[in-house]
Each structure stands twice: as C-alpha cells, then as structure tokens.
C-alpha cells in the first residue's frame, strides 16, 4: 500500500515539474523576443525617442527689422525683455507649480487663467508664456529657485518698441501677438506662436520683409525638462530695416499745430479743467488715453484738441514727409498683452483714434474740388480764361434753387476770380455746360476716386460719382441738379486727405502723375511716373486762380499766405456742410458754427503748394468740424510749411 502511494506521488511531482519547466521556457522565450524587438529590431526608433526626451527643439525668433525716418531716427525698434515659460509636459501639477511661481514673481489671476486655457488647448510640449515682462529682480529670484520647479524656464526675447510714442502711430502701425485667425491663414505661424506680427500701417504692409526668418535651437534638457545647454542648429535671419520718407521733426510740428488749431491751451491742473472733466465725457475720453492737451474756445469753453488730418508730400518724388491723423494712440499698448481696459477705451473714444483719417477718412472735398471742374471745362474748351458768369447769390434750375455761400452774390466772375473768391454760382454754370462725365475723367487723372497706391492697409477709394455710378449703386438716374452739387465738391463726392494732396501735387507738378510713397528706395532712385496728360495752358490758369486765393485782394485765404521770403504759396479753401440747411433755417438765419454742437459744424479744408514759382511741396489739411476752411485750415498749412521751409534753410 505504501509503495503504491509513493509511486503516485512521484508521477504527480514529475508532471508538475514538467509543466513548470515548460512555462519557464515559454516566458523566457517571450522575454527574449521582446528584448530582441526593443534592442535590435526597433533600435533606431527608440533611439530617436530617447533623443527626443533628452533634447528640445525650439524655434528662435528672428530680430524684426527696424523703421527709421528720413534722417535715420528710430520710429520702431526692438528692446530686450525676459520671458517666463512653463512646459506642461514636464509639470506634475500645473496648479501647484503656478502657485509656487506666484511666490517668486507677480502673477495675476488673469495670467494664471490664460496659462490653464493655453495648456488645455495646445500640445503639452509647447512652451506657454506666463510673463513676458520680468524685471531684473524677478529674474534673479527665478534663477535661484526655478531648478526646483519642473517644466519652468525663462529666457530673453525682443519686444517691439515705438520710441516716438503716438507721433507716427498711423504710419508705423503696430505689432501684436499672433492671433488664431492668422494661424488659420498661415499654418507656418503655428511654429512661432510667440512671434508678434504687424497688424496695421507699415508693420503690416511690409510684414514679410520686416519679420525675418526664424531659426532653430536644440536644447539639452534634464528629466524635469529644464535646459542644461543649448546647441544651436540654424541661426535666425533678421528682418530688413526700412527707411521711411517721414520727417519726425516736421511730424511733431504738424501734429501740434493741427491739434491746437486756433485755440489756446490751458493748464491741466487748473480748477476749471477739473470741473470740466467731472461733467464732460468727451474731455475725459482724451485724458484717459494719456492726452494732456485741453483747449479753450472763443466761447470760453474747455474743449479737447482738434481732430483731423495733415499730409505733406514732395511734388516730384511723391515722398510723404508728414502724415498726421488726430487723435492718435500709443502703439506701445499693443506690443504686449493689450489690456481689455485700454482696448475698450480706444474703441469707445468718440473721435476714433484708431482710424487713419489720411487714407481712410472720406470727406466731401468742398471747394477744393473746383480746380477739377475748372480744368475739365478749360481743357475741353467749354470755357476760356475770359468766360464770365454773373453771380447774384443763387441759381435757379427747374424747381430747385442753388445758393452761393455769399448771399449777396459775387457779381461778374471769370475762372480766376471765381477761384479767388470761391464763387459757387460760377462753378454751377460751368459744371452744367461741362457735364459730369468730363468732370469725372479729370478727377481720376488728378488721382481722385481711386486708391493712391501708398501701400498702407485700409486705404479708401473715395467716390467720384457719374451716371453709371448712381445707377449701379442707387438704382436711379443722374439728374442735372446733382451735377450742380458735385461742382462744389458736395453731394456724393468723397475724397481722402491723401487724395487731395496728390491732386494738388499733380497740379503743381504739371507734367507727371506723381504718386505718393512712404518707403525710401535704395539709393534714392528717382521714380518714373506716368505723364499727367493735362493741358498745360489750362493748368497755368488754374494755378493763377490758386495764387489769387492767397494774394488777391478778395482771396479767401489772403490773411494766411506763406512769408514772401519762403516764396509764398498757392492754395484753395474748402468749407463743407455736414448737415443740410433747410429753407426755413436759411430764412431764419443760419446759426454760426461756434454755436452749433461740435458734430454739426462744417469741416474745414485747405490744399496748397509752395513755393509758388518753384513748387516743391503740396499740403492737404482737414480739420473736422473746424468751421471755416480759410480761418481754421489755412493757418495750419501756413505754419507747417513755414516750419518746413525754415528747416530747408
């Protein structure tokens, strides 16, 4: 019995040993196969993965090209800044890490929320900028303690700066962080999320040249994702510097003259100003944007600076020497993270500082359009310099009566005296005989009704109406009364201040259809413009009329001519109604501009060229709701040209 039991036990033990041995062999084989796969078959793949864990590939932002004025004074440059990054891939607990960072540097709740949002949205291996404006003291504290924080690093970068502040804001535009919409349009930008891009002005128009080409860096990191050493692979290529035609000195003078107008500045700290600020939202909107200029008008009221536009251009090269649009804004606000508060203030400002009035402000040109009508009529032989019409103060056409600005009339006028005194009735008669088609043709040859090609984004085309334009846009036929209204630059006619400067430059040049430019060409290569192709005799008569505006005994701007030592100027005033005057209002007596609400006052315009005998510069001035073109806009042009001539020696 006991022998049988012993045999059974031995058989059982042998089967178990066989099973255990077999299992061990199978496991060893599987383990060996897996090791073979890892060590031999997939050696290259896992080596690459290992390298990726050891090295980070980072994009190196290029240095953005700088902007200079015509004397190589800096308009836009780059300043060093220090940024704090966090890489979610290497962070165990993002909330805890941010809390620890908050003990080292200043962090707002908004910045913390933005880091969480970026971490949820982007890949974990992308660096997220926590702060881009670290101070030297914060940097020193981080250098000591960041090795204890996984996934935290810091580095140096370049921040866009505009040392002239708001002075050339509508020329340079500004740079701000890349937006999601830009990445959708250009996938390559996704690799450089920390790079700023031009959003307006020259910064946007020449983005490709200014941005440069990013480089790449291999950075060796430790297990916590902290850099150990940098191995540079491909260096970044800097963007190109650009020299602009703007003169900062004249720009400053133009801005001051335009903004001050004919009013007197007051002391900001006075009790009057404080009382006015407490109850005037318009004034307050200027002050909160950093404007420190408040004026006193002829009714002893405190008012904000004038708004409007000034353009000065060379009539031969087309270079823009000064381009001012007021009010202005500080482009430095946009280079970092634009505060919601500042964005709201800019957009809520009643006078729209973000609008570039020079290229995108469209105004009825008023009487500055009379040169166009006169040239069209002279060139086509509708009138000559001796043709006369009598102005009795108005003109009847069908059931409508069209008034001259001078109620009692100007008497017998020819083209020169009509320009000198800005007689409306003379041009009503001339326009009816010439026709809107010929007027439109001349307007386009002088640069109106089409984009000038300056290159700044958002430039408006303006409107030079015609039969076809009205039918296409309003579905109605053109009427003779609309030709009458168009002859004095009102009705549907619209032009930008830049177009008016181009028109004046072409009249003064006489030979070429000069076009404006802001970026100087290498070596100052003279531009080749198309021929103007306007009758020289007709141009000579129109220039004589503009001369009489300044020199004639009844010239509308005779009080504001340029000094004789500077060669004088030839110009034309324009005063544009922004609200129609009814028959009843006319009979009751028209309320003067100063007694109307600001938004209902006339726009003041003036165009000119100088010196008279050897013209070199053209200028266009628009003072929004400034009242009279002669008493408000003309002195602005005179003072700016005086400064320019003084600098010329």
């Amino acid at each position: 019995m006991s022998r049988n039991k012993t045999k059974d036990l031995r058989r059982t033990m042998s089967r178990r040993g066989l099973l255990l041995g077999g299992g061990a062999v199978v496991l060893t084989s599987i383990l060996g196969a897996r090791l073979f796969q890892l060590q031999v078959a997939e050696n290259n793949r896992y080596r690459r993965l290992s390298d990726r864990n050891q090295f980070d590939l980072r994009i190196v932002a290029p240095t953005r090209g700088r902007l200079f004025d015509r004397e190589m004074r800096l308009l836009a440059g780059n300043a060093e800044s220090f940024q704090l990054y966090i890489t979610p891939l290497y962070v165990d607990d993002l909330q805890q890490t941010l809390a620890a960072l908050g003990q080292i540097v200043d962090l707002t709740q908004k910045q913390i929320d933005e880091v969480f949002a970026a971490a949820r949205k982007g890949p974990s291996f992308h660096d997220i900028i926590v702060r881009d404006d670290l101070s030297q003291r914060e940097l020193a504290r981080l250098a000591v303690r960041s090795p204890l924080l996984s996934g935290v690093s810091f580095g140096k970068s370049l921040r866009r700066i505009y040392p002239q502040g708001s002075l050339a804001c509508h020329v340079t535009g500004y740079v701000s962080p890349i937006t999601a919409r830009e990445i959708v349009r250009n996938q390559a930008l996704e690799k450089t999320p920390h790079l700023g891009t031009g959003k307006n002005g020259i910064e946007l128009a020449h983005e490709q040249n200014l941005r440069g080409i990013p480089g790449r860096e291999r950075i060796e990191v430790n297990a916590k994702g902290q850099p150990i050493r940098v191995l540079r692979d491909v260096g970044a290529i800097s963007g190109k510097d650009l020299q602009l035609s703007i003169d900062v000195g004249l720009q400053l003078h133009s801005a001051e003259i335009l903004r001050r107008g004919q009013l007197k500045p007051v002391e900001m700290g006075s009790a009057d100003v404080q009382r006015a600020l407490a109850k005037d939202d318009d004034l307050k909107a200027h002050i909160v944007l950093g404007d420190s200029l408040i004026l006193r008008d002829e009714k002893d009221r405190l008012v904000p600076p004038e708004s409007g536009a000034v353009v000065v251009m060379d009539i031969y090269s087309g270079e823009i020497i000064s381009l001012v649009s007021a009010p202005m804004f500080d482009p430095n606000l946009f280079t970092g993270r634009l505060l919601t508060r500042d964005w709201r203030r800019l957009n809520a400002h009643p006078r729209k500082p973000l609008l570039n009035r020079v290229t995108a402000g469209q105004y009825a040109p008023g009487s500055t359009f009379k040169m166009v009508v006169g040239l069209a009529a002279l060139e086509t032989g509708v009138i000559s310099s001796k043709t006369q019409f009598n102005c009795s103060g108005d003109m009847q056409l069908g059931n409508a009566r069209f008034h001259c600005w001078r109620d009692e009339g100007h008497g017998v006028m020819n083209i020169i005296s009509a320009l000198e005194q800005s007689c409306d009735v003379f041009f009503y008669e001339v326009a009816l005989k010439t026709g809107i088609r010929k007027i439109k043709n001349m307007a386009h040859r002088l640069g109106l009704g089409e984009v000038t090609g300056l290159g700044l984004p958002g430039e408006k085309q303006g409107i030079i109406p015609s039969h076809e334009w009205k039918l296409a846009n309003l579905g109605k036929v053109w009427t003779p009364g609309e030709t009458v209204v168009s002859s004095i630059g009102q009705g549907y006619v619209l032009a930008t201040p830049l177009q008016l400067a181009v028109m004046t430059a072409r009249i003064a040049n006489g030979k070429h259809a000069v076009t404006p430019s802001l970026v100087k060409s290498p070596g100052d290569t003279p531009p080749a413009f198309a021929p103007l192709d306007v009758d020289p005799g007709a141009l000579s008569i129109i220039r004589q009329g503009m001369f009489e505006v300044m020199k004639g005994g009844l010239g509308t701007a005779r009080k504001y001519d340029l000094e004789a030592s500077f060669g004088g100027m030839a110009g034309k005033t324009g005063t544009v109604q922004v609200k129609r005057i009814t028959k009843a209002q006319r009979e009751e007596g028209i309320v003067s501009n100063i007694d109307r609400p600001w938004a209902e006052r006339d726009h003041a315009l003036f165009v000119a060229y100088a010196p008279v005998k050897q013209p070199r510069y053209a200028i266009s001035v628009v003072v929004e709701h400034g009242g009279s073109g002669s008493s408000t806009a003309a002195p602005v042009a005179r003072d700016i040209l005086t400064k320019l001539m003084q600098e010329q020696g």
Side-chain angles (χ1 to χ4, degrees):
M1 185 65 184
S2 62
R3 185 175 295 170
N4 289 337
K5 285 183 178 177
T6 301
K7 284 181 179 178
D8 290 343
L9 181 60
R10 284 178 180 168
R11 279 197 294 272
T12 302
M13 292 298 292
S14 297
R15 281 199 299 273
R16 288 179 180 174
L18 187 61
L19 288 172
L20 286 171
V25 169
V26 170
L27 286 174
T28 303
S29 300
I30 293 172
L31 184 58
R34 181 59 177 158
L35 287 172
F36 178 81
Q37 181 189 20
L38 293 174
Q39 296 291 327
V40 180
E42 297 188 16
N43 174 273
N44 291 336
R45 175 177 174 239
Y46 285 102
R47 175 174 293 175
R48 287 196 301 271
L49 289 174
S50 175
D51 283 350
R52 196 170 295 173
N53 283 335
Q54 189 176 2
F55 299 101
D56 268 355
L57 185 64
R58 288 186 179 176
I59 301 297
V60 180
T63 302
R64 191 175 179 85
R66 297 165 296 176
L67 301 177
F68 297 94
D69 84 335
R70 63 189 302 115
E71 301 295 334
M72 295 305 289
R73 290 169 289 203
L74 190 64
L75 296 174
N78 305 293
E80 283 188 350
S81 68
F82 294 95
Q83 296 178 324
L84 169 61
Y85 309 100
I86 194 164
T87 313
L89 177 65
Y90 301 115
V91 176
D92 296 328
D93 186 326
L94 189 56
Q95 188 166 10
Q96 194 174 5
T97 302
L98 285 170
L101 274 177
Q103 302 295 317
I104 305 172
V105 301
D106 291 334
L107 285 183
T108 65
Q109 187 57 47
K110 185 180 179 185
Q111 289 167 328
I112 293 172
D113 292 343
E114 287 175 350
V115 171
F116 277 116
R120 284 193 297 271
K121 193 185 302 179
S124 62
F125 56 84
H126 268 183
D127 296 335
I128 299 170
I129 294 180
V130 183
R131 284 267 309 273
D132 60 359
D133 55 352
L134 293 175
S135 66
Q136 292 287 347
R137 180 173 295 181
E138 289 175 318
L139 194 65
R141 289 202 298 264
L142 269 173
V144 173
R145 300 178 61 180
S146 65
L148 304 175
L149 299 171
S150 298
V152 172
S153 58
F154 55 90
K156 187 174 69 175
S157 69
L158 293 175
R159 180 171 52 85
R160 198 63 161 172
I161 57 166
Y162 300 91
Q164 309 295 339
S166 62
L167 189 57
C169 61
H170 293 104
V171 177
T172 62
Y174 56 85
V175 165
S176 66
I178 292 173
T179 64
R181 187 177 297 177
E182 286 178 305
I183 292 176
V184 170
R185 289 198 299 262
N186 182 1
Q187 293 293 322
L189 293 176
E190 192 173 16
K191 298 177 182 177
T192 57
H194 310 320
L195 201 63
T197 52
K199 298 296 191 295
N200 214 333
I202 291 291
E203 295 277 26
L204 173 59
H206 292 265
E207 170 66 20
Q208 292 300 320
N209 289 331
L210 291 168
R211 185 194 304 164
I213 301 174
R216 291 174 300 177
E217 273 184 350
R218 290 188 85 204
I219 301 176
E220 189 176 355
V221 297
N222 60 20
K224 293 182 177 180
Q226 292 164 337
I228 299 173
R229 59 177 176 152
V230 176
L231 307 170
R232 182 177 292 276
D233 286 338
V234 179
I237 300 175
S238 300
K240 292 181 180 176
D241 293 340
L242 294 179
Q243 184 184 11
L244 307 186
S245 56
I246 292 291
D247 182 306
V248 164
L250 186 66
Q251 184 82 357
L252 175 62
H253 192 76
S254 301
E256 287 179 351
I257 292 293
L258 172 65
R259 279 160 40 79
R260 191 179 69 234
Q262 303 306 299
L263 308 182
K264 294 179 181 177
V266 297
E267 292 290 333
M268 279 292 295
S270 69
D272 283 353
V273 170
Q274 300 308 314
R275 281 194 294 271
L277 285 174
K279 56 185 179 183
D280 190 328
D281 291 338
D282 203 8
L283 273 183
K284 205 180 298 177
H286 288 269
I287 299 304
V288 296
L289 275 185
D291 199 332
S292 59
L293 180 63
I294 291 183
L295 307 169
R296 189 182 298 279
D297 72 7
E298 56 191 276
K299 292 281 186 176
D300 205 30
R301 296 171 298 202
L302 296 182
V303 295
E306 301 280 14
S307 57
V310 168
V311 192
V312 181
M313 67 181 286
D314 187 305
I315 69 162
Y316 296 110
S317 68
E319 289 182 352
I320 300 294
I321 302 167
S322 181
L323 186 158
V324 174
S325 174
M328 300 177 284
F329 63 92
D330 186 354
N332 291 298
L333 290 174
F334 292 86
T335 56
R337 295 182 181 183
L338 178 65
L339 298 177
T340 305
R341 175 200 64 192
D342 291 333
W343 180 243
R344 193 178 297 123
R345 285 173 175 172
L346 284 167
N347 282 283
H349 196 294
R351 300 195 184 182
K352 299 178 171 52
L354 294 176
L355 172 67
N356 184 349
R357 287 164 165 78
V358 172
T359 58
Q362 299 187 102
Y363 305 87
S367 293
T368 64
F369 193 68
K370 288 173 178 172
M371 283 88 79
V372 176
V373 179
L375 277 171
L378 286 165
E379 190 181 65
T380 55
V382 172
I383 63 168
S384 70
S385 60
K386 296 179 180 177
T387 302
Q388 295 180 336
F389 293 103
N390 182 57
C391 171
S392 60
D394 58 36
M395 185 192 78
Q396 189 76 28
L397 180 66
N399 296 324
R401 184 176 296 278
F402 297 89
H403 296 267
C404 186
W405 68 269
R406 193 164 191 260
D407 293 339
E408 59 273 31
H410 289 92
V412 177
M413 293 275 108
N414 60 32
I415 180 66
I416 293 175
S417 59
L419 283 171
E420 175 190 353
Q421 300 179 49
S422 202
C423 174
D424 292 337
V425 169
F426 179 89
F427 286 94
Y428 296 158
E429 300 280 3
V430 170
L432 284 173
K433 295 180 182 301
T434 306
I436 195 65
R437 284 194 176 88
K438 292 173 182 171
I439 294 172
K440 178 189 175 188
N441 176 275
M442 180 57 69
H444 280 280
R445 287 152 69 191
L446 294 175
L448 303 178
E450 52 194 49
V451 173
T452 65
L454 182 65
L456 290 184
E459 183 179 353
K460 298 294 185 185
Q461 186 176 355
I463 296 174
I464 301 298
S466 64
H467 300 77
E468 296 77 13
W469 175 87
K470 187 180 178 189
L471 199 59
N473 289 275
L474 302 177
K476 297 179 180 176
V477 297
W478 187 260
T479 65
E482 288 164 334
T483 300
V484 170
V485 175
S486 297
S487 72
I488 58 169
Q490 301 220 35
Y492 301 116
V493 183
L494 291 177
T496 66
L498 178 61
Q499 289 172 329
L500 294 178
V502 170
M503 173 192 77
T504 310
R506 291 184 181 183
I507 290 173
N509 182 301
K511 294 181 179 177
H512 298 105
V514 59
T515 56
S517 62
L518 268 172
V519 179
K520 290 181 78 69
S521 55
D524 282 334
T525 308
F529 299 118
L532 181 59
D533 198 24
V534 175
D535 178 62
L539 280 169
S540 177
I541 294 169
I542 293 299
R543 286 197 287 258
Q544 181 64 32
M546 293 175 71
F547 174 79
E548 295 298 334
V549 170
M550 312 304 303
K551 295 289 186 186
L554 297 174
T556 53
R558 60 188 181 279
K559 297 178 182 176
Y560 306 105
D561 193 12
L562 197 61
E563 281 185 19
S565 59
F566 296 133
M569 62 181 174
K572 185 69 192 78
T573 56
T575 302
V576 178
Q577 290 176 14
V578 298
K579 188 176 180 182
R580 188 172 180 273
I581 300 173
T582 64
K583 183 179 178 182
Q585 288 171 330
R586 193 176 293 277
E587 289 173 351
E588 289 174 6
I590 300 172
V591 178
S592 64
N593 271 297
I594 193 65
D595 292 322
R596 300 179 211 163
W598 178 80
E600 295 181 9
R601 298 175 193 169
D602 300 338
H603 288 324
L605 289 82
F606 186 73
V607 297
Y609 63 84
V612 174
K613 290 186 178 177
Q614 294 181 316
R616 178 70 190 278
Y617 302 107
I619 187 170
S620 160
V621 176
V622 174
V623 182
E624 288 183 337
H625 307 292
S628 164
S630 58
S631 61
T632 303
V636 170
R638 177 201 57 193
D639 292 348
I640 292 171
L641 288 175
T642 299
K643 176 70 175 176
L644 180 57
M645 296 300 178
Q646 287 171 342
E647 289 183 348
Q648 298 291 316

